[in-house]
Amino acid sequence: MTNSPVNTATQSTSRLFAGVDVGADELVLVIRKNGKPFDPQKYANTRSGRTRLVNKLIKLSGIKVCLEATGIYHFDLAIALHDAGIPVMVVNPKASHNFAKVLMKNSKTDAVDANTLAEYVERMDFVAWTRPSNQSLALRGYARRIDALTGQKAAAKNHLHALSATEETPKALLRDAKLAISQLEKRIDTLAAEAMHLINDHQTLKRVFELLTGIKGIAQTSTIALMGELLLLPPNLSHREWVKFAGLDPKAFESGKSVHKKMRLSKAGNRHIRSALYMPALSAKQHDPHVRAYFQHLIDNGKKPLQAVCAVMRKLLHAIHGMLTHDQPFDNTRFYAIPESIIAE
């Protein structure tokens, strides 16, 4: 089998598809022509490596490319392909994983995964990836770094608490632990300020920020986190697709007459959106009477507190979708209408 799938005499009639398995350091490309895969080719996941891969594919007229959404590592390649005019599709890793199971592929290597992605784009409906703006990408970078540092700060505080539990701990260690927390706080504040400069410099981002902070419970940090994720979603998604993308959709499990498990969140989507909504949901149910009434309504109907909080998160996401779609501020009376019997009490 040859390494080159191109035959200029038949290229116009060939059906060409490519899958790229994206790793932190390496890109593995498999091209399929008329249903048959060619040998895998490897490129460094660097600027020059991505350029070589794009230059390879741009010569293949009509080719369609499929990638997995692998954290941050696929973004640079997806942007390079899109900007070069190459149709690219980015799929949820669970979708490609389940597709491989249907094909009964027992082996799992980078080359096998790349071929699976090529076969996925060959067989499934092609959904073109929508390129986010550079500002949205930068904002997501700020949001995720702030989230990572916030996690480090929580760990540092737990460490300080453990050190403070005994009088035998040298004071120098306590000072060092406090210094670590202080430095993390300063770094978080610096990045948040940079994110706010970015938002204030672009009217569209500024308007979104104003809308989100108009919801009781959603403060600056949560707004930056939500904007960093939601603004990268394809613009034509419905509110239900937002919920599914965030992994906040209920997952049923039934089999026959005997297996009926409780509904639970799928958690198959973007965990950063769920994380960014959790604290605002807790705060909103405390400070907004309509959100609080909705939460209590769920509790009165047998939901556990955590289930009710997840339902508030899901409903908040619905509301945010409507707000951004219609450029309208949050209306808590539309979130949940408090029954007159409760108002009269």
Side-chain angles (χ1 to χ4, degrees):
M1 188 173 284
T2 177
N3 280 327
S4 176
V6 185
N7 184 326
T8 56
T10 61
Q11 180 176 320
S12 60
T13 60
S14 298
R15 298 179 69 244
L16 293 169
F17 303 93
V20 184
D21 183 76
V22 179
D25 302 313
E26 189 175 62
L27 307 169
V28 179
L29 168 70
V30 169
I31 296 174
R32 293 175 65 88
K33 178 181 177 183
N34 297 329
K36 295 183 178 180
F38 289 83
D39 291 342
Q41 301 166 56
K42 297 181 179 181
Y43 301 83
N45 194 0
T46 61
R47 183 187 295 271
S48 60
R50 291 188 293 270
T51 299
R52 288 178 54 231
L53 188 150
V54 169
N55 289 340
K56 168 81 174 181
L57 296 178
I58 205 170
K59 298 174 183 176
L60 308 180
S61 177
I63 194 167
K64 294 178 180 178
V65 184
C66 185
L67 317 173
E68 276 186 346
T70 53
I72 62 172
Y73 298 114
H74 75 284
F75 254 103
D76 286 337
L77 178 59
I79 289 172
L81 291 167
H82 178 278
D83 291 353
I86 300 171
V88 58
M89 179 179 184
V90 178
V91 300
N92 187 307
K94 284 201 172 184
S96 57
H97 175 71
N98 291 333
F99 182 75
K101 290 170 73 173
V102 170
L103 297 178
M104 300 183 70
K105 294 192 176 183
N106 297 321
S107 299
K108 180 172 174 57
T109 66
D110 293 344
V112 169
D113 290 346
N115 183 47
T116 299
L117 291 170
E119 193 166 354
Y120 186 97
V121 71
E122 180 179 13
R123 294 190 178 200
M124 307 299 285
D125 292 336
F126 183 79
V127 180
W129 181 67
T130 302
R131 187 197 194 284
S133 68
N134 290 334
Q135 293 78 27
S136 297
L137 287 171
L139 191 58
R140 192 188 79 154
Y142 283 126
R144 292 197 175 183
R145 186 58 183 161
I146 290 171
D147 182 60
L149 292 177
T150 301
Q152 292 179 29
K153 186 179 78 170
K157 284 187 172 182
N158 290 336
H159 184 56
L160 175 60
H161 183 269
L163 290 175
S164 303
T166 173
E167 296 181 358
E168 304 303 320
T169 302
K171 292 183 178 179
L173 292 182
L174 296 175
R175 287 196 301 270
D176 183 73
K178 291 177 181 178
L179 177 62
I181 295 170
S182 176
Q183 290 175 339
L184 285 167
E185 289 174 341
K186 288 178 181 177
R187 291 166 65 187
I188 291 170
D189 291 343
T190 298
L191 290 179
E194 291 291 338
M196 287 308 303
H197 284 312
L198 176 65
I199 290 170
N200 290 326
D201 284 346
H202 296 85
Q203 189 57 41
T204 301
L205 297 181
K206 188 175 181 181
R207 176 56 178 164
V208 174
F209 183 86
E210 292 170 350
L211 289 172
L212 293 185
T213 51
I215 302 174
K216 287 184 179 179
I218 301 185
Q220 175 180 295
T221 301
S222 296
T223 299
I224 292 172
L226 285 170
M227 290 176 65
E229 302 301 328
L230 297 179
L231 295 184
L232 268 69
L233 298 182
N236 59 340
L237 294 184
S238 68
H239 64 280
R240 290 185 179 87
E241 289 172 319
W242 267 30
V243 167
K244 188 173 182 179
F245 190 90
L248 287 170
D249 52 319
K251 178 182 178 181
F253 191 100
E254 296 182 1
S255 180
K257 296 181 179 180
S258 59
V259 180
H260 299 278
K261 294 185 178 181
K262 292 182 179 180
M263 296 280 284
R264 58 184 63 190
L265 294 184
S266 72
K267 294 187 179 180
N270 187 322
R271 66 179 179 83
H272 297 282
I273 298 177
R274 296 195 301 275
S275 176
L277 281 170
Y278 181 68
M279 291 306 297
L282 291 179
S283 182
K285 79 177 183 67
Q286 293 293 328
H287 300 101
D288 189 298
H290 289 265
V291 179
R292 183 168 60 248
Y294 176 67
F295 177 84
Q296 190 58 47
H297 164 75
L298 296 172
I299 296 296
D300 293 342
N301 281 273
K303 296 294 184 184
K304 295 180 180 179
L306 183 57
Q307 291 176 315
V309 170
C310 291
V312 170
M313 292 165 60
R314 183 163 55 247
K315 202 167 178 65
L316 278 176
L317 196 57
H318 280 190
I320 292 170
H321 182 278
M323 292 163 59
L324 300 189
T325 300
H326 303 290
D327 192 27
Q328 295 292 326
F330 180 67
D331 184 352
N332 60 1
T333 62
R334 296 185 65 183
F335 185 91
Y336 180 72
I338 302 176
E340 293 185 4
S341 59
I342 297 178
I343 297 175
E345 292 179 356

